[in-house]
């Protein structure tokens, strides 16, 4: 659903989906013009929001955000403190 939203409604020309943090890092390394990377706090390889700090350090020009089932305030604040450019709860609808 997120892939369709990004390409059809937000105009992203290319959307690459990966199954783990390691796959995402490899994909970012191969796509120097990537502008946005979305991560789930519970995806394989993620050690919580701290992993996002490592992503931001390796790819400082990429906007990195979290898309997560968690709506816990502590998860949101931790992700933002780790350098996330945004936090989108999976409970949000397409318009939100």
């Amino acid at each position: 659903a997120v892939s369709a939203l990004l390409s059809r409604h937000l105009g992203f020309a290319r959307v690459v989906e990966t199954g783990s943090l390691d796959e995402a890092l490899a994909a970012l390394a191969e796509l120097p013009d990537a502008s946005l990377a979305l991560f789930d706090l519970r995806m394989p390889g993620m050690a919580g929001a701290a992993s996002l700090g490592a992503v931001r350090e390796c790819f400082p020009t990429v906007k990195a955000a979290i898309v997560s089932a968690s709506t816990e305030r502590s998860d949101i604040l931790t992700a933002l403190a780790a350098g996330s450019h945004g936090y989108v709860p999976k409970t949000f609808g397409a318009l939100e």
Side-chain angles (χ1 to χ4, degrees):
V2 173
S3 179
L5 180 67
L6 290 170
S7 59
R8 293 183 195 149
H9 300 284
L10 297 177
F12 282 82
R14 183 174 182 191
V15 176
V16 177
E17 295 182 62
T18 62
S20 70
L21 178 61
D22 288 341
E23 288 177 21
L25 294 173
L28 285 170
E30 293 178 12
L31 298 166
D33 61 337
S35 60
L36 175 67
L38 301 175
F39 298 91
D40 189 317
L41 289 176
R42 310 281 186 259
M43 72 188 293
M46 283 287 279
S51 295
L52 189 61
V55 172
R56 296 276 298 122
E57 189 174 304
C58 293
F59 304 98
T61 61
V62 174
K63 301 291 186 210
I66 298 292
V67 178
S68 178
S70 174
T71 57
E72 293 294 321
R73 179 177 162 80
S74 62
D75 286 338
I76 296 167
L77 294 176
T78 301
L80 294 173
S84 177
H85 288 96
Y87 191 101
V88 181
K90 288 182 178 179
T91 55
F92 277 9
L95 292 176
E96 294 169 300

